[in-house]
Amino acid sequence: MATDPRIVVAGAGIGGLALAQALHRHGVDVSVAERDRSPQTRGQGYRLHIDPDGNDALRRCLPPAVLDLVRDTSGVSGDRIAGYTDQLVEVMAQEFPDPPESEITNVDRDTFRAGLLTGLGPVVRFGTAVTGFEADGDRVRVELTGGSVEADLLVGADGVGSAVRRALLPHAGIQDLGLRCLYGRLPLTPANTALVPPDLLRGFSWAGLGPLGVGFAPVRLRTKVNGVSDYLMTTFVASPEQLGVDDGQLLAATPEHLHRLALDGVAGMHPTIRTLFDRSDPSSYLPIALRAARPVAPWATGPVTLLGDAIHAMPPTGGVGANTALRDAADLAECIIGAVADGRSLHDAVAAYEAVMLPRGFDTVAASLDLARRMFGTEIATG
Ligand SMILES: Cc1cc2nc3c(=O)[nH]c(=O)nc-3n(C[C@H](O)[C@H](O)[C@H](O)COP(=O)(O)OP(=O)(O)OC[C@H]3O[C@@H](n4cnc5c(N)ncnc54)[C@H](O)[C@@H]3O)c2cc1C
């Protein structure tokens, strides 16, 4: 019987926070342990595309005031995606009708995360990593930096490098797709905006040949908060060999060094591409490795489960990783809340969640990989 269960969530990322919002809102005892010392500790990226599934999940998870805040601080919708050669010759374009004003279509990642933290207060403990767990029947002892806590359920929402997944499913593998992205921002000041071809301000654009390429996407916030201004997200994608640095060097590189690597990489591309990278903010650059989870078979349900990138990490092609993490959060929250309300077993609630989450998650990984192969060409590593 699930009466007053205690839920511990590892990771205050997108999925973990959406789950915490939904459980907290329904009076379930939930706490979130986040490894980073604060939300500002680590740049995690810039623009996220939010699709109709993500919108639906946000509506199911968030209290109305938090949903309003997230919507009000989201980005103005674009109406186009396009592909170009590295000399900016258009090879494909697709236009979209305007979505309803109530729909969230893109967010600045840090602003979004700040919105998802609203009202959670002491529910989230920053600077507290989950280091392991010991399951015993229906209960779990969660090991944290600086102590341990007993719970009825541990949810690993701790991202692609998940410590919870490594302990629960040591056989689950993550494949390196052999591509690295250098992400930065071009502030959309009036002078910089004048340099951007108007079509590049209308949505996501990719320009390149095979795995070497650049991406652009604008974030124009409906309401500006926390000093964030409108920007054009810039990304340079290449293999470590093309970049000429190994992963150790990439991780140790300063943002300014990453900016120089991106500038070297676009040297042979169209002058407008070179200008946009040249004018982008050198201090904004961060590196990301493209990875994907290998499919795992269902496991015996117990007092530990997983959501989001912790179980089904995927490359950003398709822009569905965060949306899938949000769907997991909404489904798991509803299973738990329903079990608590009816006095049903938490075990069965988690089993019902996993039966939906696992095939959906890995279908989405497969679709994202397929898109990555088409976008970057056949050279993409899948071993
Ligand atoms: C460049 C890029 C662009 C993307 N664009 C899109 C997009 O447009 N749309 C989209 O839907 N998806 C996109 N994605 C994917 C999306 O970012 C992820 O799928 C999403 O963030 C997954 O959410 P999550 O909650 O599972 O994990 P995360 O958001 O990664 O959160 C995990 C959290 O766990 C914390 N943590 C890690 N280890 C521990 C530990 N041991 N203990 C406690 N806490 C821990 C981390 O610090 C982090 O805060 C993109 C990804 C990348 C890399």
Side-chain angles (χ1 to χ4, degrees):
M1 295 266 284
T3 47
D4 295 334
R6 182 174 212 194
I7 317 288
V8 173
V9 180
I14 286 160
L17 289 176
L19 175 66
Q21 284 283 0
L23 296 178
H24 185 57
R25 178 185 175 195
H26 285 86
V28 177
D29 178 359
V30 57
S31 61
V32 183
E34 166 56 49
R35 182 184 58 186
D36 289 347
R37 296 183 72 82
S38 83
Q40 290 78 37
T41 300
R42 202 164 44 90
Q44 296 192 347
Y46 294 120
R47 181 186 191 270
L48 288 175
H49 162 71
I50 304 294
D51 66 17
D53 290 328
N55 274 271
D56 178 59
L58 287 169
R59 281 191 291 272
R60 289 158 62 201
C61 288
L62 303 186
V66 178
L67 181 62
D68 286 348
L69 175 72
V70 167
R71 184 187 300 111
D72 291 348
T73 56
S74 68
V76 173
S77 300
D79 67 349
R80 190 174 199 263
I81 59 168
Y84 301 87
T85 67
D86 64 349
Q87 300 305 317
L88 279 186
V89 177
E90 188 175 300
V91 289
M92 66 76 66
Q94 198 176 347
E95 299 199 354
F96 303 95
D98 279 345
E101 185 62 16
S102 60
E103 198 82 347
I104 299 165
T105 59
N106 66 89
V107 293
D108 168 66
R109 194 178 182 118
D110 289 344
T111 308
F112 184 48
R113 198 160 171 233
L116 292 178
L117 276 162
T118 307
L120 288 178
V123 167
V124 184
R125 287 169 60 196
F126 282 91
T128 307
V130 171
T131 54
F133 64 81
E134 207 166 302
D136 184 10
D138 286 346
R139 302 272 293 166
V140 56
R141 197 175 78 237
V142 184
E143 308 290 347
L144 305 163
T145 43
S148 66
V149 62
E150 296 281 331
D152 297 284
L153 181 66
L154 167 64
V155 182
D158 47 346
V160 60
S162 174
V164 179
R165 180 196 65 242
R166 285 201 307 272
L168 181 69
L169 307 171
H171 54 284
I174 300 288
Q175 57 182 329
D176 181 344
L177 303 183
L179 290 173
R180 306 292 175 259
C181 306
L182 308 179
Y183 275 86
R185 293 196 299 198
L186 171 77
L188 285 177
T189 59
N192 284 342
T193 305
L195 298 169
V196 185
D199 279 346
L200 263 51
L201 291 170
R202 292 177 59 190
F204 182 76
S205 304
W206 169 255
L209 288 175
L212 189 81
V214 294
F216 299 104
V219 176
R220 293 197 274 198
L221 299 162
R222 297 191 203 199
T223 311
K224 315 246 183 304
V225 281
N226 304 329
V228 181
S229 302
D230 294 346
Y231 60 86
L232 184 75
M233 183 191 78
T234 54
T235 179
F236 174 71
V237 183
S239 67
E241 296 73 33
Q242 287 165 325
L243 279 172
V245 291
D246 63 30
D247 282 348
Q249 293 166 314
L250 205 61
L251 286 177
T254 61
E256 290 75 13
H257 184 188
L258 298 173
H259 179 234
R260 285 198 300 277
L261 288 174
L263 282 178
D264 289 347
V266 300
M269 296 190 185
H270 190 276
T272 298
I273 294 176
R274 298 204 310 261
T275 302
L276 298 182
F277 274 84
D278 187 45
R279 295 291 286 262
S280 62
D281 175 3
S283 70
S284 68
Y285 274 77
L286 54 91
I288 284 170
L290 295 197
R291 288 176 285 181
R294 289 201 172 85
V296 286
W299 58 89
T301 298
V304 181
T305 194
L306 297 161
L307 70 69
D309 278 12
I311 177 66
H312 46 61
M314 61 194 84
T317 40
V320 286
N323 291 291
T324 312
L326 289 169
R327 294 177 83 183
D328 291 353
D331 288 350
L332 179 57
E334 284 169 4
C335 287
I336 294 171
I337 292 159
V340 172
D342 303 343
R344 283 183 284 112
S345 122
L346 201 57
H347 177 280
D348 291 353
V350 173
Y353 156 72
E354 288 171 348
V356 172
M357 175 277 292
L358 201 56
R360 175 179 67 206
F362 282 102
D363 281 354
T364 316
V365 175
S368 298
L369 275 172
D370 193 43
L371 258 172
R373 281 191 199 97
R374 281 191 272 148
M375 193 161 156
F376 301 123
T378 50
E379 288 173 46
I380 189 165
T382 52

